[in-house]
DNA sequence: AACGTCGTCAACCGCAGTATT
DNA sequence: TAATACTGCGGTTGACGACGT
């Protein structure tokens, strides 16, 4: 758009003339912005910048406020729940960071984007494959996401080890106040869940869609045809990991649908919160991460052994991963 | 101690869509 | 209806600290 160019060009001139600042924000600038927004509210960023006496563009002010200064921001590490949701939603929507961020209260699109680029893409690189490749998606779906679910469950059960540590950490961060670990609908110990919460085999993806009155997931341009490899291939004996829809659904249902909704995880249709009474959360069977299954999943010939989990998982995760990958791959 | 590399994240840029005049 | 202004999004960059050599 030419107008944008004109504006940017004028901004450039203003910068050169010393009328506009760039780069890191100072404490004084932050205070000006916070105080002005507190007094007058958000929006109309260009005029806000001028009125507040900030030598910044409106865009810069907006970004600073949204990504750093607004009070409802959630600081600290991305939790396993959030990781799971990011993986899940990205598999569905692709790089729609803003849309994904809408489902992670307190997180910004910038934060999620950075997470994806620094953590997720790094591992795709280590695996010598494209982040959008089917192989990497399989690793995410059959290894990474189930492991995250395990960790969430472990934390929910109040057990020891990484889960408890994570839980404690989250409490320190104030990230656990919404009751993510204590679902009023389901016992946190999955072994005590009713049998109907499990789907053994078959086209669970289809079942999920049907049970939730959902159409086939809207796939991003990079994920077309990859939403459910095992079910699509008709392999009825595959371990029951979730189709993308099921993952988010499980998360929001089992981890705490009500708090998720209250916290802004809206778009009920997408996350399957609508008609929750009829839902059958698809928790995995006992073979989620069994390494013996990997060859069937087409992961074995993949350079799984080089998958450096260190920066994603904790020490016991590494141990788990080492055991998993050495037993059967 | 000095240097190089890597990871993280705040900030910027260009573009597109929407609202306003 | 066109022109202009504003807002939001996704991609990219650069500063900076941590870590390894």
């Amino acid at each position: 758009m030419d107008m944008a160019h004109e504006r940017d060009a004028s901004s450039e001139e203003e910068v050169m003339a010393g009328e506009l600042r760039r780069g890191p924000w100072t404490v004084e600038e932050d205070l000006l912005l916070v105080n002005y927004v507190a007094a007058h509210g958000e929006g109309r960023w260009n005029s806000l910048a001028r009125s507040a006496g900030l030598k910044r563009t409106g865009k810069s002010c907006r970004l600073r406020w949204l990504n750093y200064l607004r009070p409802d921001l959630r600081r600290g590490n991305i939790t396993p729940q959030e990781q799971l949701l990011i993986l899940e939603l990205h598999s569905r929507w692709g790089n729609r960071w803003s849309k994904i961020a809408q489902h992670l209260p307190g997180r910004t699109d910038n934060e999620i984007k950075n997470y994806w680029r620094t953590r997720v893409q790094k591992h795709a690189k280590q695996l010598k494959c494209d982040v959008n490749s089917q192989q990497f998606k399989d690793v995410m779906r059959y290894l990474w996401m189930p492991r995250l679910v395990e960790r969430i469950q472990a934390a929910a059960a109040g057990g020891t080890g990484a889960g408890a540590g994570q839980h404690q950490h989250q409490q320190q961060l104030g990230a656990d106040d919404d009751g993510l670990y204590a679902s009023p609908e389901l016992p946190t110990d999955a072994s005590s869940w009713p049998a109907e919460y499990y789907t053994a085999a078959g086209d669970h993806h289809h079942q999920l869609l049907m049970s939730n009155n959902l159409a086939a997931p809207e796939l991003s341009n990079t994920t077309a045809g990859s939403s459910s490899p095992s079910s699509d291939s008709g392999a009825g004996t595959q371990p029951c990991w979730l189709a993308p829809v099921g993952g988010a659904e499980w998360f929001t249902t089992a981890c705490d649908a009500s708090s998720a909704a209250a916290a802004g995880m809206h778009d009920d249709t997408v996350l399957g919160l609508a008609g929750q009474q009829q839902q059958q959360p698809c928790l995995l069977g006992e073979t989620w991460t069994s390494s013996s299954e990997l060859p069937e999943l087409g992961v074995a010939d993949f350079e799984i052994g080089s998958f450096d989990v260190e920066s994603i998982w904790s020490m016991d995760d590494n141990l788990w991963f080492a055991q998993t990958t050495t037993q059967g791959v």
Side-chain angles (χ1 to χ4, degrees), chain A residues 87-94 116 130-142 145 204-205 209 216-233 241-246 297:
Chain A
L87 297 179
E88 168 59 41
L89 294 179
H90 187 275
S91 73
R92 188 162 193 193
W93 294 327
W116 185 267
D130 187 86
V131 73
N132 293 316
S133 69
Q134 189 57 54
Q135 288 111 319
F136 189 69
K137 286 171 185 171
D138 285 343
V139 169
M140 283 198 296
R141 186 167 297 120
Y142 297 109
M145 293 173 76
H204 59 276
H205 184 190
L209 294 178
E218 166 200 347
L219 297 174
S220 68
N221 54 350
T222 57
T223 58
S226 63
S227 63
S228 182
S230 63
S231 59
D232 290 346
S233 63
W241 176 235
L242 306 171
V245 171
L297 302 172

Side-chain angles (χ1 to χ4, degrees), chain A residues 29-323:
Chain A
E29 287 177 310
D30 282 346
L31 280 173
L32 274 175
L33 182 54
V34 168
N35 288 334
Y36 194 90
V37 170
H40 302 93
E42 301 176 42
R44 302 183 304 281
W45 294 104
N46 282 329
S47 60
L48 182 152
R50 285 191 294 268
S51 301
L54 286 161
K55 293 182 178 179
R56 296 275 183 172
T57 65
K59 290 175 78 169
S60 181
C61 292
R62 172 183 167 271
L63 214 57
R64 182 64 176 174
W65 174 258
L66 291 178
N67 289 343
Y68 197 81
L69 295 176
R70 64 183 165 101
D72 58 332
L73 280 178
R74 182 172 174 171
R75 295 273 160 204
N77 295 336
I78 303 285
T79 66
Q81 287 89 350
E82 290 172 321
Q83 291 180 43
L84 182 61
L85 199 50
I86 290 169
L87 297 179
E88 168 59 41
L89 294 179
H90 187 275
S91 73
R92 188 162 193 193
W93 294 327
N95 297 355
R96 302 287 302 279
W97 307 119
S98 180
K99 190 171 183 176
I100 293 171
Q102 289 173 7
H103 297 284
L104 286 103
R107 300 295 188 184
T108 68
D109 53 354
N110 212 29
E111 199 171 8
I112 294 168
K113 181 170 57 183
N114 282 332
Y115 167 76
W116 185 267
R117 293 188 64 82
T118 59
R119 311 285 180 81
V120 181
Q121 289 195 349
K122 182 182 77 176
H123 294 291
K125 189 178 177 182
Q126 287 174 345
L127 291 167
K128 297 184 176 67
C129 66
D130 187 86
V131 73
N132 293 316
S133 69
Q134 189 57 54
Q135 288 111 319
F136 189 69
K137 286 171 185 171
D138 285 343
V139 169
M140 283 198 296
R141 186 167 297 120
Y142 297 109
L143 286 174
W144 194 351
M145 293 173 76
R147 179 56 175 163
L148 286 170
V149 172
E150 279 185 0
R151 293 188 62 182
I152 293 167
Q153 284 185 253
T160 56
Q166 182 71 34
H167 191 191
Q168 185 179 21
H169 179 57
Q170 286 167 334
Q171 283 182 320
Q172 289 167 352
L173 294 172
D176 196 31
D177 296 340
D178 55 6
L180 283 174
Y181 296 95
S183 165
E185 288 84 23
L186 291 171
T188 53
D189 177 10
S191 64
S192 64
W193 288 15
E196 60 266 28
Y197 283 108
Y198 296 79
T199 61
D203 192 354
H204 59 276
H205 184 190
H206 181 70
Q207 289 172 356
L208 278 167
L209 294 178
M210 294 303 103
S211 67
N212 290 288
N213 297 317
L214 289 175
E218 166 200 347
L219 297 174
S220 68
N221 54 350
T222 57
T223 58
S226 63
S227 63
S228 182
S230 63
S231 59
D232 290 346
S233 63
T237 58
Q238 296 291 350
C240 175
W241 176 235
L242 306 171
V245 171
E249 168 191 305
W250 180 89
F251 169 79
T252 52
T253 304
C255 291
D256 187 0
S258 58
S259 68
M265 292 182 182
H266 50 276
D267 194 352
D268 293 351
T269 302
V270 170
L271 290 179
L273 289 171
Q276 195 176 324
Q277 302 277 351
Q278 294 80 31
Q279 280 184 25
Q280 304 289 305
C282 176
L283 187 64
L284 303 185
E286 64 281 2
T287 56
W288 292 359
T289 56
S290 168
S291 60
S292 62
E293 301 286 352
L294 292 178
E296 298 179 39
L297 302 172
V299 184
D301 53 350
F302 192 38
E303 295 188 46
I304 196 81
S306 65
F307 191 42
D308 175 18
V309 297
E310 188 170 340
S311 64
I312 295 180
W313 295 327
S314 58
M315 287 301 290
D316 77 309
D317 289 324
N318 285 340
L319 181 62
W320 163 84
F321 189 85
Q323 291 170 343

